[in-house]
Structures are given as C-alpha cells and as structure tokens.
Amino acid sequence: MDYSLKKYYKQSATYKIFSGIFTYSAAIISTLGDISLNAVEVAKCILKGQIDRRELIEQCNRFGISSLPITLSIVGMTSVIVASQVALEMVKQGGGNFVGLLMTMLIVREVGVIMSGFAIISMIGSSLASEIATMRVTEQIDAIKVLKVNPIRYLFVPRVLSGLIMMPPVVAIAAAVGVIAGAITANLTSGLGYLAFFDSAWLGIYMKDLSVCMLKAATFGAVIALISCSCGYAAHGGAKGVGEATTKAVVWSFVAIVILDMFFAMVFFF
Amino acid sequence: MSIEVKNLVKTFGDKRVIDGVSFKVNNGETLAIVGFSGSGKSTILKLICGLTTPDSGEIITSEGDIAMVFQYSALFDSLNVADNIAFALHERKELRKKYTEKEIKNIVAEKLELVGLKGIENKFPSELSGGMQKRVSFARAIVTEPKTILYDEPTAGLDPISSTLIEDYIVRLKDETHAASVVVTHQMSTITRTANRVIMLYNGKVVFEGTPEEMLRQDNEYTKQFCMASLEGPMRMIAEN
Ligand SMILES: Nc1ncnc2c1ncn2[C@@H]1O[C@H](COP(=O)(O)OP(=O)(O)O)[C@@H](O)[C@H]1O
Ligand SMILES: [Mg+2]
C-alpha cells in the first residue's frame, strides 16, 4: 500500500519537476565545487613552484600557436561584419570620423577578447576536456596516482598556466588583426580613408582599456583551461562519458566567460 | 607481514561489492584472487593501492611503493615508451634528484630488456600490440622498486606464449625483490604458475582459500564449479540490477 502510494507519487508531475530541479541544482553545485577545489589545488602547486617546465612549454605551444589561425579568422571576420554594417551608414550621416574609434573600442573592449574566448573554447577547451576525460576512463589518471604523482600538478598546472600566459598575446594579435580588417572593410564599403580611420582609432584606445583587455584575456584563458580540465577529470563511463565531459566543458566555459565578462564590465566601466 | 586486509567493506550505491574480506600476503608470496567478472576483484586492488577508500575495514601494507599493473595497461598515450617507463623518475621530486638523465635512460633500457622489449624506447603505446603494452606497463610499474605489486588480470586476452612470458616475469620479480604480490586472474595457468595461495570471491565474500593444488582438488563446491567452468553450482551469474 505504502509502496504503491510512493510509486504513484513518483509519477506525479510535481514530483518530477521538483526532483528534476533538485537533481539539476545538485549537479551544478557539485561541478562548481569540483572546479573550485581544483583551482585551489592548482594555486597551491603554483605557489610551491611545482611547475613542469617541459610540459608547460608544450601546452603553451598548443594553446598559443595552434589556436591562432581560428582565433584570428573569427575576430577578423567579426570585425569585417561589424565594419561593413556600420561604416557606410556612419559616413553617410557625417560620422565618418568616428568609425575608427567605434571599431577599436568595440574590438579592444569586447569583441577581441570574447570572440577569442569562444574560438579558444571550441579549439582548445574541447581538446583539453576530451584528452583528460580519455585519460580518466582508460585509467591513466589512476596510473598517475599509483605512481605517486599528483595528477593536478602534472595535468592541470601546465594547462591552466598556459592559458594564463598565452591568451593575452593571442588576444592582442587578434585585436590588431581585427582593427586592420575593420579599416580595410570601412575603406572598401564606404571609401573612408585609412588616415581618417586610424586618426580616430587612437582616440578610442585608453591605457585602461588595454590593461583590462589583457587582464580579461589572462582570466579567460586560465578559466577555460581550468573548467575544461575539471570536466574531463570528472568524466566516467567509457566513450560516452568522454563525449559528455567534452560537451559539459564547452557549455560551462561559454557560460563562465560570458558571466565573467559581465562582471568585468560592471567592475571596470561603471 | 606485507599486505594485511581485515574485514574490508565497500559499497557502490546500494550494492555491497566487497563484504567483509580478510586476507594476508607475506613478503615473497603471491596471492591469486579469482572470481566472476564483477565480483569486486579490481575493487580490492584499488582499495589496497589507495585509489578508493573502504567504507570500513583495515588495510596494512609494508612501507615503500605499491605498484599496479592495470587491467588495460593504462599507458600514457601521449608519451613514448621510454617516458612512460621513466614517468615516476621524471615526475617525482625525490626520484628526479636521485638520478641523472643518463642513469634514467639506463634504467629504462634495463627494464625493457627485463620484459624482452629491448630497443622500443621511441615507440608510442598505440604502435604496440596488446601483449607488448602489458609488458611495458609491467616495466613502468616496477621502475620504483616497489615492495607490493598488484596485477589486474595480467594475462587476460593474451596468447598462451605471451601469457607464459608474463607469468615468468611475475615469478622472477617476486624472487628478485621479495615483494608481496597479488594477482587477479581468471586463467588457470597464471594461478598454477605464479600463486602460492588462492582466494575465491563470490558475492563480496571469500568462499575459498587455499593453495592452487587444493583448488584443483575441487573439494569445495565453489572451486569445483569454477574449475569445471560449470553453470551448475552455488554461484549464479546475477544480471546487473
Ligand atoms: N566507481 C564505481 N562506481 C560504481 N560501481 C562500481 C565502481 N567500480 C566498480 N563498480 C561495480 O563494482 C562491481 C565490481 O567491479 P570490479 O571490482 O571492477 O569487478 P571485477 O574486477 O571483479 O570484474 C561491479 O558490479 C561494478 O559495476
Ligand atoms: Mg576487473
């Protein structure tokens, strides 16, 4: 009697909705907890100077060099799209002198870093997550532990550091390419001269913008690497588990950098 | 006493996978653990080497390293064979200080020779056959000169000759290092060639303990069923959930 009642209760919509919400929030909280614990462990290792130089160089290569083509094209193309939409209209309305300013501000403050972030998540974040998830489900991480090596030190530290170190230069190059692409597009679509573009472009760049941009880049790089590694590290259950971990890493990284970007905007530009 | 396990209990969810298991393994002795797939053999090894913690019970191992040869080798596929074997030497601070790069190279060569795979230092795990991977995994595990060695189905899926090779290494290594070893296996040849004693697990409990000869005598219903590979007997394959 009691049992059948329980069964009936479990089929009710209310139960399903609330248990669904509960399971979902519990999963989110546990993932957040995992990520924070890993972050603390990574910070500890870095403070103790436990950095594997060989691994770090290899990960920097991966993070910087291999992500460059896709990052540059995405930021460049975004800039082309924006410039082609606004340049002609602004010139027509007599605002030609501000096209450069608008484009650089947009790129330095937002487009450069957030688009690079998206590019790097899809390129590097997904590969970090699937790599570490594969190591997890094939017991390679257990093997590291049995050999008495700290997997966080060996796997996370070089990857997170490489994000921290390599993302600022990647964003800087991407932003430069974006501005140049914007100038060319403006010139082609509206006949705006390069001199007029770059004259106003300088007006749009403040030291503060540049430093916030680099700070954001370093933060995003480290956060993407940390989230991707953490999701991979928590994987379980074969090939399906690897796929799930990769998806989770990408989704969480996207959400995280958008939230962080909002946070930066509120702290630095209000 | 090198490994002592007392009243070990481990549950996953509401399933009691290990239910009060106790045994001892002396230095220089090899214990074989047999039982169905899913009877918790790998779990026992993971408990001994500290990869998981028991719900209750006690595990005492002698000081020094514990080595584990994993069921599916678990070689690092981004590292070549030499770096796989030298992993602990490169990555552990106290060992990195102890050896020069040249000495590490010599140790790697020596371990590879021990497992009969001289000169494959620069190959990657994906380029090796299953048997070769097992042997490299073996070399990686013993590089720190462990006092306790755990083997998870070291000969499963190997051809008879590779199996014999591995069994010989297990015996030779035990004789050289005087380590306490635990071998999880289904294979009769591995039991008879390597083990001094055998325990059989069923439903999370030890249902037989004795020498390989006693096991082959089949005077216990469980060993009888196991040795005859029979569907008739006290043990039932229970479908998961
Ligand atoms: N991490 C885990 N989470 C949940 N269940 C597990 C886990 N590890 C093992 N199990 C379960 O414990 C049982 C014993 O597994 P295992 O020790 O691998 O068996 P064996 O090595 O004897 O084949 C299996 O039913 C398996 O599903
Ligand atoms: Mg197993």
Side-chain angles (χ1 to χ4, degrees), chain A residues 54-55 58 140 154, chain B residues 74-87 90 101 104-105 108 112 119-128 136-137 140:
Chain A
R54 199 167 63 158
E55 267 296 296
E58 198 175 315
Q140 292 177 51
Y154 178 71
Chain B
L75 294 177
F76 306 125
D77 39 34
S78 59
L79 302 179
N80 66 19
V81 167
D83 287 341
N84 259 286
I85 296 174
F87 186 79
H90 280 140
E101 209 44 50
I104 291 182
K105 220 170 167 178
V108 169
L112 272 179
I120 63 155
E121 277 92 342
N122 294 321
K123 284 214 184 332
F124 279 84
S126 58
E127 300 171 282
L128 306 177
V136 172
S137 156
R140 180 181 68 181

Side-chain angles (χ1 to χ4, degrees), chain A residues 52 54 131 135 138-140 142-149 153-154, chain B residues 46 49 51 65-66 68 70 74-77 79 87 90-92 140:
Chain A
D52 189 324
R54 199 167 63 158
E131 179 189 21
M135 293 185 76
T138 56
E139 297 184 316
Q140 292 177 51
D142 286 346
I144 294 177
K145 286 186 187 164
V146 172
L147 291 165
K148 286 202 182 144
V149 173
R153 202 215 76 215
Y154 178 71
Chain B
K46 283 181 182 167
C49 69
L51 283 171
D65 276 1
I66 302 176
M68 169 108 143
F70 285 87
L75 294 177
F76 306 125
D77 39 34
L79 302 179
F87 186 79
H90 280 140
E91 298 299 333
R92 267 163 65 178
R140 180 181 68 181

Side-chain angles (χ1 to χ4, degrees), chain B residues 23-65:
Chain B
F23 58 81
K24 290 177 184 174
V25 190
N26 292 315
N27 283 328
E29 194 187 27
T30 304
L31 173 78
I33 301 181
V34 301
F36 284 149
S37 294
S39 61
K41 305 181 300 296
S42 299
T43 305
I44 288 188
L45 296 190
K46 283 181 182 167
L47 286 165
I48 295 174
C49 69
L51 283 171
T52 44
T53 46
D55 299 345
S56 66
E58 212 179 338
I59 302 159
I60 304 160
T61 53
S62 54
E63 291 211 356
D65 276 1

Side-chain angles (χ1 to χ4, degrees), chain A residues 68-89:
Chain A
L68 216 48
I70 185 97
T71 315
L72 295 189
S73 1
I74 287 192
V75 174
M77 283 189 284
T78 312
S79 171
V80 167
I81 294 165
V82 175
S84 66
Q85 301 276 359
V86 299
L88 183 58
E89 202 57 32

